[in-house]
Amino acid sequence: MTLAASVLDTGCLIVHGPDRPGIVAAVTALIARHEGNIVSLDQYSDDADGGAFFQRVVFHRPDFAAAIPELEADLDATLGAFGLEWRLTDQSTPKRMAVLASRSDHCLLELLWRHRRGELPVAIPMVISNHSTTAESVRSFGIPFFHVPSHGPDKTEAETALLRLLVGNVDFVVLARYMQILSDDFLERLGVPIINIHHSFLPAFIGAAPYRKAKERGVKLIGATSHYVTPELDEGPIIEQDVARVTHAMTAADLQARGAYVEREVLSRAVQWHAEDRVIRHGNHTIVF
Amino acid sequence: MTLAASVLDTGCLIVHGPDRPGIVAAVTALIARHEGNIVSLDQYSDDADGGAFFQRVVFHRPDFAAAIPELEADLDATLGAFGLEWRLTDQSTPKRMAVLASRSDHCLLELLWRHRRGELPVAIPMVISNHSTTAESVRSFGIPFFHVPSHGPDKTEAETALLRLLVGNVDFVVLARYMQILSDDFLERLGVPIINIHHSFLPAFIGAAPYRKAKERGVKLIGATSHYVTPELDEGPIIEQDVARVTHAMTAADLQARGAYVEREVLSRAVQWHAEDRVIRHGNHTIVF
Amino acid sequence: MTLAASVLDTGCLIVHGPDRPGIVAAVTALIARHEGNIVSLDQYSDDADGGAFFQRVVFHRPDFAAAIPELEADLDATLGAFGLEWRLTDQSTPKRMAVLASRSDHCLLELLWRHRRGELPVAIPMVISNHSTTAESVRSFGIPFFHVPSHGPDKTEAETALLRLLVGNVDFVVLARYMQILSDDFLERLGVPIINIHHSFLPAFIGAAPYRKAKERGVKLIGATSHYVTPELDEGPIIEQDVARVTHAMTAADLQARGAYVEREVLSRAVQWHAEDRVIRHGNHTIVF
Amino acid sequence: MTLAASVLDTGCLIVHGPDRPGIVAAVTALIARHEGNIVSLDQYSDDADGGAFFQRVVFHRPDFAAAIPELEADLDATLGAFGLEWRLTDQSTPKRMAVLASRSDHCLLELLWRHRRGELPVAIPMVISNHSTTAESVRSFGIPFFHVPSHGPDKTEAETALLRLLVGNVDFVVLARYMQILSDDFLERLGVPIINIHHSFLPAFIGAAPYRKAKERGVKLIGATSHYVTPELDEGPIIEQDVARVTHAMTAADLQARGAYVEREVLSRAVQWHAEDRVIRHGNHTIVF
């Protein structure tokens, strides 16, 4: 497949830290002296005068895997002098993504279907749901499905079961309309990024029932927001948002049906960008290259 | 001009009230028996079972002005039987619109320019600003400009001056980035609809400095909202909204510059729809036909 | 389900012909005297002075099916006097839709999935493909799949097999990226409307390989067009179109991958509108209510 | 003003030619050794294996103007070794732009108005029109207006008058709905880039009366395209395109009125990008950074 071929022997280097003259030159020289050929380069500084610097470089290097140790040693030495942090990934190694879902299947199936088309560079070791309704659909994609019910106000048991399945097995988790709030303790013990899709244009309509609230306020556009999960509900760094036009004639149920298409699109983009190391978190913001 | 020709001898009838079978037939029969030919007809019921009914009919009738008294008498009799309210306007009589502005000229000039192109079916007897910076631009369109300064926390004097200019002379008022909050007393004494443009996608970022707040929250779209003014700040019925895509690389000033184009577009649409009697207020909602 | 409930005892009346005063009144009076309650009404005249008139009325009438004969007799008498053509459908009877596909599954699966969600008011008695690759996916939706290969330049055998499956069993046919050109003879013998999705913004890039041509021309947007099939290739009446933004950095393969999402969205809308009797053909145009 | 401040002591380097490993490192090292601090960097290669390479680097360098000779000498030596072409511009020196217009004022006034807001980094030494209708509007912006009539089929006299005004005085020319076709001879003697706005989504509806053709074809979106002018009518490299949704109910005149807003937006973006050295021509394509 084209996509697979394009990531062979390809590295992605993320650099961030205090901006100083000469960083770009130092990074590109480093890649050049390790025989890398730059495929794409993005950089951003949030303030020309003493701001934070962010860079993403994708480069091709024959026999990349073998070169990693030398590259890493050089990066440590070179970027350490600038006080920068960095992260080097092998683009031919897909991130392992778990999907948590509930009854709704639109976001879940969209991710599985894009994955099958080769458009999401991830491995999907498991889908977990608190309902069993989508089990058959998921398994028809050849992906393991686990049912972890979540009854009553005490989520400890469910979260323990989730952690047993997830920890060590995944690099990030996607909440594809998973309608349960996860505890701070869960987030901490999971220890990998979680991407959520919220069914409104945040910060409008935080919390439950955003389509009903949208109908009540009489908005002319509805939206969806994909963001990283933090302990503050619906307050994490936003990765992507989009909207769709609605009219006075649409009921809250109509808004929900229309919004489903925005949700699946917004979540898919956010997941793809995260999987491709295009998203850098900085405080409560994201840099999306 | 084409637009002017199209509204000669043309009436617009707005009907609303409790939904009951037979309303559409009664209204269209009434128009037919007064020799009107229906040009467009929109109708909406917010609940098939006992909801509220809304209808807008535009019809052509030779010598329309002369027929108004008879039409009104018939409407009273016919629609009274259904318990409906109605409003009949002569489309060849443009509504009188005042524009209140401040230093920013983008919304103000867009309205004046669209008016000169014949795209806004209104008369503009005056523009009022609390700054004199746009006086020359406004007058180059052949429109009177009045400067009503607004100093200090006490707005009584300024509002009195505004009322003296406006009352009796205008059918509605547009706040084209007029950065002053109007008192409840002013709204009541003015007695005509006021349309505002808010520089965010409401209900996100209510109040002052929405672009700064948008930058802080890290949203990926910015927006603008045009709504009728009510005593509750930024809470009035929404007429129109739209958004534009932004990136992490844009400063709050960049958002403001980009947003200006959304504002002028959203406000222009809202003003045009209001001027064409396309907007019906219903509680805190609008029906836009 | 909500959708199903909303079409019980609901009729849809399509009227078109020469415009004359009084048509709307006559139609709405007719519906009223048969105890119908109008749910929605759209009308359009392409020229106020002697043009063509089009109307779509959806109305609720208890025990609708039993009332059809009387309604039809009245329609014949009433609308015949105006020289109008009309069509009355029972909204609780879904149209029977066949889908013809090829190797690509994105448009096909989108239609099946929306149908399963209850968003497409159709019955799908069969999917036919000239490849067997999607058989399993289709059957997992509980829908019959038939494989009709199409080898060599002579399509007579394949078209005969298609007609044997389709004629009498379907009300319209959707070409969901079916890459075969159908003969004039086939279109005539099939005798029901065919909806196609073309992977460009028509009339740009008619014929084969539109994404390659789009790349060569260097366009900044790609598009998709859904239209009724006529003997002239890609020249039939357009139902819906949409576009997506692309950049210089995207290859023709990237355009194709991105365009797939526009195609499935545009085709889905066109199919839904056709299924809901919202589309009226008029010469080489469509009125979409 | 913010914009003006941001371009002080700022250079923009455009590099293009055959792709080879090490170019980015060489360019960024060069900038670093001349004490430049990179503000933004974009690069693109149209084929990882032996394609063409394009780069745009904006950098800040105290006392930039004084450093230009040394920079240019180094660029010659360094990039010559790679077989690359380059262009270095001082961002504090705005390009000189002439606008050619006709009767329509929407594109013309939009450019003048954005320029006055400080959003277009250009100087506008003149507006030329073959009609005098916009003279007063143009001069109210403090910009010289010249009337060059264009009667009859022989354009030689008019083109000679245009060349006398333009040659030597401008860096590029914008056709803001200038409805005259310019001769090949004119293009050659002018010798600077010309940006046109065409009122359709090219390559659909090439040539005259695109809105009428769009109405006849029954499209559901109309568009506008800004492109560099070449001897082949409407075939030059596309810089930007956009579209707007239309309906069956709109006349060709309505399409034209709606399209005017797409035209002014698309042309403004194209002009801004050209003025900021973001557009690189490559054959009949553009790279837009």
Side-chain angles (χ1 to χ4, degrees), chain B residues 2 105-107 109-110 113-114 116-117 119 136-137 140 253 256-258 260-261 264-265 269, chain D residues 2 105-107 109-110 113-114 116-117 119 136-137 140 253 256-258 260-261 264-265 269:
Chain B
T2 319
D105 68 355
H106 57 283
C107 287
L109 294 186
E110 182 73 7
W113 181 77
R114 291 193 184 214
R116 186 169 75 187
R117 278 170 78 83
E119 297 183 359
E136 197 181 343
S137 290
S140 78
Q256 183 173 336
R258 179 71 190 84
Y261 296 101
R264 71 174 185 177
E265 181 69 26
R269 278 185 231 148
Chain D
T2 318
D105 69 353
H106 57 283
C107 287
L109 293 186
E110 182 73 7
W113 182 76
R114 291 195 184 211
R116 187 169 74 187
R117 279 171 76 84
E119 296 183 1
E136 198 180 343
S137 290
S140 80
Q256 183 173 337
R258 180 69 190 86
Y261 295 100
R264 72 175 185 177
E265 181 69 26
R269 279 185 230 147

Side-chain angles (χ1 to χ4, degrees), chain A residues 200-221:
Chain A
S200 83
F201 180 83
L202 288 174
F205 309 129
I206 286 176
Y211 291 122
R212 183 172 56 69
K213 291 173 187 165
K215 179 65 187 171
E216 284 169 7
R217 182 61 187 92
V219 292
K220 301 300 184 184
L221 299 168

